[in-house]
C-alpha cells in the first residue's frame, strides 16, 4: 500500500529513485516537486515557468542583446499512485458486471452488504477470511416440531476479466483459488488466489497481482465439492444467486498527456504521451525555452506560461531539473569587433556601467600575429599616461637617445610616441650622435596627428634600421611637426633626452623625466600575451597562443569584476596582432522554477 503522494517507483523501487539522483549532471539542481491532480475525465492544469535573475542597467539601443543560456532544463513527469473506484449498483443476480472506461489494472473489489438468498431447499454460506455471510435460517413455528437443521453449501467469490468490450469467459482469481486442472485439462494452471478481508457489510476481495481488464464479472459459486482424492475444478463451479452492490477499484495512471509551453494564443507543443504513463519521463525543455526566452529583457524576472493536459483522472508529480541558467548580455554577437593592435593599444566596447557584477565574461577571439614586436624596455600603453612633457612644434624639437642594444639585435621599423596633440603632421628623424642630435643617420617617417586632449600613442613607420648600422655611441630619435603641435608626454624608458627651441640649431638636456618612447623591431614568428585593462584592473585574456588562433577566452576575475564599471576595455599586445572579438558575453546567475499558475 502506498502512502499519499507517494509514487509507484518510490513505493516499490527506492533504489531506482536514488539512481536517478546519482545520475544528475554535475551542478544540476532539482526543483521542488509540483503535484497535479486531474479530475474524472481529465483536464488541463495551468503552470508557470519563472526565470529569476539580477536586474540589469539600460544599454543604448542596438549595442547589446540580452539572452538566456539555459544549459540543461528537463521536466520529470512522474506518475503518482492513484486509484479510481467504479460503483456497481445493487442487484440480485448471478453476476455483478463492471464495464470500465478503458483497460485498467484492477486491484480489488469491495462487495457491499452481501446477501445469499435461499434457493429451494438449498442454503449457502460464505465463510472465508473471517467474514461469514449465510442464508438466513427458516422461520420456526414455536408450536410445531422443530425442523431438521438446514445444510449449508459453501460458496466462494470468483472474478472473471476480459478486455473492454469483450465478454469475460474465464475466471482469473478465486477467493480462494483452487486446482489442479480438472480431468479434461481445462484452465491449464490452477486459479490464482486473491485475499478476503473486511466485514459482511464490506467484503473486500484483493486481487494480489493486479488484473488487467476493461470488463470484470463477479460471481459467487459452489464447489469444487468432489470427495477428497477425486478430480475437481472449474467444471464443478455453480454460480448462485446473490444480492449486493460493489465497488471495483483500479489503478489510474495518467494517459493522454500533453504539455504546451508559451502563451495560450501561440502555444508550442513540448511533449505528448498518448498511452498510460507507467514510469517517469524526462522532457527536455531547452529547445522550446530558448526560443521563448530569446529576449528576456533586463527587469530580472521573466515568466513563461505552460499547460499540462491529461485525458483521465490521475495524479502526476512534476519536478524541474536544471543546470542553473544564466542571463547573458551579448556584445559583438552579430558583427565581430575588428581590433588591429600595433603595440600602442586599442579600445574595445565591453561592459555596461550600472550592471551588477557578473559571474563570468567570455569572448571569442580570432587572430594572427604579425612580424613586428615592441621591445622589452618599451612602455605598455596600458600604463597611466603623464600629463606633462616636452612641447613639440615646427620649431621646437625634442629628442631621445637610443643605443644599439635597445634594438635587441633586430631591425628598427617603427617608433611610438605618447602625446596629447593638435591636428597636424608629426615628423620623426633618426640622427647620429654628435654631443646631441647630429646629422641624419637614416630615413625617418611621418604620421598624421588628430586633436586629442589626453595623451595617446602615435606610431611612425620608418625604413628598417639594421642594428649593425647603429654607431657605438647610439643615435637620436628627433620629433618635430610640419604643422600642428603636441605635448610629448614623459615616461619610460630612462635615458638621455634633449630639446631645441630653434628648429634643431642648438640643444639642451632635459633635466626631468624623458619623453616616453616605444621601439618596434622586425622579429617574425613569435607570439605575445593579449592583455586588457579596465579602470585599475589589468589581466591577461590570451597567453601562449599559437601564431594563429580561434578560441573562446574566459576573462580573469579582476577584469570580470570591473567590466561593469566602464564602457570600454583597453587592449594591448606587445606584438602586432590582427584581432577579431566576437560574442563578448557578460553572464549573471539565474534560477528557473516551476509552479502552479
Amino acid at each position: 500500500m502506498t502512502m499519499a503522494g507517494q509514487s509507484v517507483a518510490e513505493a516499490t523501487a527506492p533504489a531506482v529513485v536514488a539512481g536517478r539522483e546519482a545520475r544528475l549532471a554535475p551542478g544540476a539542481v532539482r526543483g521542488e516537486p509540483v503535484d497535479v491532480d486531474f479530475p474524472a475525465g481529465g483536464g488541463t492544469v495551468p503552470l508557470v515557468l519563472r526565470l529569476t535573475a539580477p536586474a540589469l542597467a539600460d544599454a543604448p539601443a542596438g549595442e547589446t542583446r540580452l539572452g538566456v543560456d539555459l544549459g540543461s532544463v528537463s521536466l520529470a513527469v512522474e506518475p503518482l499512485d492513484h486509484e479510481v473506484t467504479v460503483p456497481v449498483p445493487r442487484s440480485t443476480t448471478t453476476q455483478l458486471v463492471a464495464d470500465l472506461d478503458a483497460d485498467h489494472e484492477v486491484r480489488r473489489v469491495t462487495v457491499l452488504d452481501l446477501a445469499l438468498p435461499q434457493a429451494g431447499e438449498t442454503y449457502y454460506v460464505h465463510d472465508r477470511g473471517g467474514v461469514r455471510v449465510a442464508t438466513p435460517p427458516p422461520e420456526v413455528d414455536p408450536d410445531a416440531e422443530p425442523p431438521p437443521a438446514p445444510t449449508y453449501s459453501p460458496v466462494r467469490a470468483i472474478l472473471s476479466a476480459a478486455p473492454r468490450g469483450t465478454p469475460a469467459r474465464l475466471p482469473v482469481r478465486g477467493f480462494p483459488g483452487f486446482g489442479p486442472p480438472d480431468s479434461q485439462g481445462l484452465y491449464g494452471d490452477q486459479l490464482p488466489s486473491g485475499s478476503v478481508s473486511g466485514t459482511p457489510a464490506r467484503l473486500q476481495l484483493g486481487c494480489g497481482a493486479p488484473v488487467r481488464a476493461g470488463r470484470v464479472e463477479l460471481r459467487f459459486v459452489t464447489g469444487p465439492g468432489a470427495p477428497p482424492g477425486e478430480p475437481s475444478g472449474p467444471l464443478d463451479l455453480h454460480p448462485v444467486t446473490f444480492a449486493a452492490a460493489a465497488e471495483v477499484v483500479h489503478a489510474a495512471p495518467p494517459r493522454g498527456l500533453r504539455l504546451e509551453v508559451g502563451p495560450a494564443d501561440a502555444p508550442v507543443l513540448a511533449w505528448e504521451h498518448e498511452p498510460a504513463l507507467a514510469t517517469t519521463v524526462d522532457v527536455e525543455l531547452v529547445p522550446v525555452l530558448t526560443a521563448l526566452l530569446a529576449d528576456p529583457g533586463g527587469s530580472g524576472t521573466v515568466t513563461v506560461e505552460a499547460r499540462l493536459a491529461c485525458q483521465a483522472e490521475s495524479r502526476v508529480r512534476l519536478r524541474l531539473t536544471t543546470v542553473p541558467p544564466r542571463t547573458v548580455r551579448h556584445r559583438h554577437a552579430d558583427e565581430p569587433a575588428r581590433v588591429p593592435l600595433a603595440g600602442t593599444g586599442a579600445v574595445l566596447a565591453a561592459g555596461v556601467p550600472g550592471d551588477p557584477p557578473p559571474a563570468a565574461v567570455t569572448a571569442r577571439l580570432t587572430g594572427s600575429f604579425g612580424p613586428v614586436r615592441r621591445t622589452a624596455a618599451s612602455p605598455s600603453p596600458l600604463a597611466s599616461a603623464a600629463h606633462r612633457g616636452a612641447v613639440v612644434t615646427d620649431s621646437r624639437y625634442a629628442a631621445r637617445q637610443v643605443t644599439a642594444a635597445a634594438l635587441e639585435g633586430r631591425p628598427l621599423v617603427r617608433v611610438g610616441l605618447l602625446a596629447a596633440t593638435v591636428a597636424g603632421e608629426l615628423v620623426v628623424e633618426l640622427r647620429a650622435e654628435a654631443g646631441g642630435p647630429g646629422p641624419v643617420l637614416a630615413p625617418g617617417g611621418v604620421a598624421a596627428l588628430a586633436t586629442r586632449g589626453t595623451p595617446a600613442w602615435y606610431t611612425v613607420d620608418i625604413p628598417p634600421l639594421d642594428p649593425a648600422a647603429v654607431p657605438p655611441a647610439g643615435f637620436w630619435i628627433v620629433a618635430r611637426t610640419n604643422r600642428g603641435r603636441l605635448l610629448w608626454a614623459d615616461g619610460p624608458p630612462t635615458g638621455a633626452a634633449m630639446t631645441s627651441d630653434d628648429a634643431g640649431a642648438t640643444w639642451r638636456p632635459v633635466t626631468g623625466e624623458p619623453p616616453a618612447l616605444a621601439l618596434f623591431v622586425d622579429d617574425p614568428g613569435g607570439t605575445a600575451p593579449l592583455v586588457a585593462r579596465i579602470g585599475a584592473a589589468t589581466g591577461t585574456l590570451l597567453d601562449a597562443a599559437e601564431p594563429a588562433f580561434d578560441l573562446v577566452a574566459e576573462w580573469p576575475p579582476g577584469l570580470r569584476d570591473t567590466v561593469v564599471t566602464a564602457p570600454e576595455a583597453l587592449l594591448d599586445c606587445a606584438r602586432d596582432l590582427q584581432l577579431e572579438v566576437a560574442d563578448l558575453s557578460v553572464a549573471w546567475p539565474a534560477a528557473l522554477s516551476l509552479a502552479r499558475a
Side-chain angles (χ1 to χ4, degrees), residues 56 81 94 123 130 249-250 274 338 341 348 424 473 499 546 594:
L56 304 181
D81 188 49
T94 58
Y123 294 75
V249 180
H250 64 77
E274 193 62 31
R338 292 172 174 81
L341 292 166
L348 174 70
T499 58
E546 297 294 325
L594 174 73

Side-chain angles (χ1 to χ4, degrees), residues 37 52 111 155 245 293 313 334 387 452 464 467 469 483 542 579 584:
D37 295 338
T52 305
V111 183
V155 300
L293 295 172
E313 178 180 350
D334 300 322
H387 291 272
R452 291 179 177 173
R483 60 184 182 278
L542 180 66
L579 176 68
L584 194 159

Side-chain angles (χ1 to χ4, degrees), residues 341-361:
L341 292 166
T344 57
V347 169
L348 174 70
V352 174
D355 278 346
V361 180

Side-chain angles (χ1 to χ4, degrees), residues 504-590:
T506 60
W507 294 89
R508 67 176 185 275
V510 172
T511 57
E513 189 175 3
L517 178 67
L519 303 178
F520 298 86
V521 296
D522 184 55
D523 188 10
T527 65
L530 175 64
V531 184
R533 190 191 77 193
I534 302 175
T538 301
T540 299
L541 300 182
L542 180 66
D543 195 8
E546 297 294 325
F549 55 87
D550 185 353
L551 50 82
V552 175
E554 183 168 353
W555 290 30
L559 295 176
R560 178 197 66 202
D561 296 341
T562 57
V563 72
V564 295
T565 64
E568 296 174 334
L570 181 61
L571 305 184
D572 175 51
C573 183
R575 179 173 288 275
D576 285 5
L577 175 60
Q578 292 297 318
L579 176 68
E580 287 188 357
V581 180
D583 196 13
L584 194 159
S585 300
V586 183
W588 295 264

Side-chain angles (χ1 to χ4, degrees), residues 117-531:
Q118 179 181 348
E121 298 300 321
T122 305
Y123 294 75
Y124 302 103
V125 61
H126 174 280
D127 193 359
R128 314 279 184 181
V131 181
R132 178 182 173 85
V133 177
T135 304
E139 294 183 2
V140 177
D141 185 349
D143 298 327
E145 183 177 347
T151 299
Y152 285 87
S153 296
V155 300
R156 77 183 72 206
I158 63 168
L159 188 69
S160 299
R164 176 175 166 79
T166 304
R169 302 184 186 279
L170 302 179
V172 293
R173 293 289 186 276
F175 304 92
F178 49 81
D182 72 306
S183 59
Q184 300 183 35
L186 296 180
Y187 291 87
D189 297 328
Q190 70 175 26
L191 184 64
S193 284
S195 63
V196 181
S197 61
T199 65
R202 292 186 64 85
L203 173 62
Q204 186 160 290
L205 307 175
C207 295
V211 173
R212 181 75 177 172
R215 177 185 174 92
V216 293
E217 299 173 359
L218 176 69
R219 298 176 177 86
F220 283 87
V221 299
T222 61
E230 295 187 13
S232 63
L235 291 183
D236 298 307
L237 299 180
H238 300 285
V240 302
T241 299
F242 65 97
E247 295 174 345
V248 178
V249 180
H250 64 77
R255 54 186 172 85
L257 289 163
R258 181 182 177 91
L259 177 65
E260 293 180 346
V261 181
D265 58 351
V268 177
L269 178 62
W271 171 72
E272 60 182 348
H273 186 87
E274 193 62 31
L277 183 65
T279 59
T280 301
V281 172
D282 290 321
V283 181
E284 178 58 54
L285 294 181
V286 169
V288 174
L289 292 178
T290 296
L292 293 172
L293 295 172
D295 184 7
S299 64
T301 301
V302 183
T303 58
V304 177
E305 300 175 33
R307 290 156 298 281
L308 181 64
C310 184
Q311 295 178 357
E313 178 180 350
S314 57
R315 301 182 68 225
V316 296
R317 172 168 292 167
L318 307 177
R319 193 190 294 266
L320 199 66
T321 300
T322 64
V323 172
R326 305 184 304 172
T327 54
V328 185
R329 187 186 291 280
H330 298 276
R331 192 187 285 272
H332 313 304
D334 300 322
E335 183 70 22
R338 292 172 174 81
V339 189
L341 292 166
T344 57
V347 169
L348 174 70
V352 174
D355 278 346
V361 180
T362 60
R364 181 176 180 179
L365 305 179
T366 305
S368 58
F369 291 100
V372 178
R373 65 171 176 84
R374 193 172 60 223
T375 61
S378 297
S380 165
L382 301 186
S384 298
H387 291 272
R388 61 184 181 277
V391 175
V392 176
T393 65
D394 58 353
S395 60
R396 299 184 65 179
Y397 297 0
R400 283 291 311 260
Q401 188 176 25
V402 178
T403 65
L407 304 187
E408 300 177 351
R410 306 299 304 177
L412 180 66
V413 295
R414 188 187 305 152
V415 175
L417 283 72
L418 180 64
T421 54
V422 175
E425 186 177 65
L426 170 65
V427 179
V428 168
E429 299 174 345
L430 277 62
R431 297 194 182 189
E433 160 62 13
V440 172
L441 173 69
V446 298
L449 298 176
T451 299
R452 291 179 177 173
T454 58
W457 282 95
Y458 289 89
T459 59
V460 179
D461 291 329
I462 61 174
L465 175 62
D466 193 313
V470 177
F475 67 99
W476 291 85
I477 293 178
V478 178
R480 62 179 179 84
T481 64
N482 284 335
R483 60 184 182 278
R485 59 187 290 133
L486 60 92
L487 177 70
W488 188 356
D490 295 343
T494 59
M498 304 188 80
T499 58
S500 172
D501 295 329
D502 51 10
T506 60
W507 294 89
R508 67 176 185 275
V510 172
T511 57
E513 189 175 3
L517 178 67
L519 303 178
F520 298 86
V521 296
D522 184 55
D523 188 10
T527 65
L530 175 64
V531 184

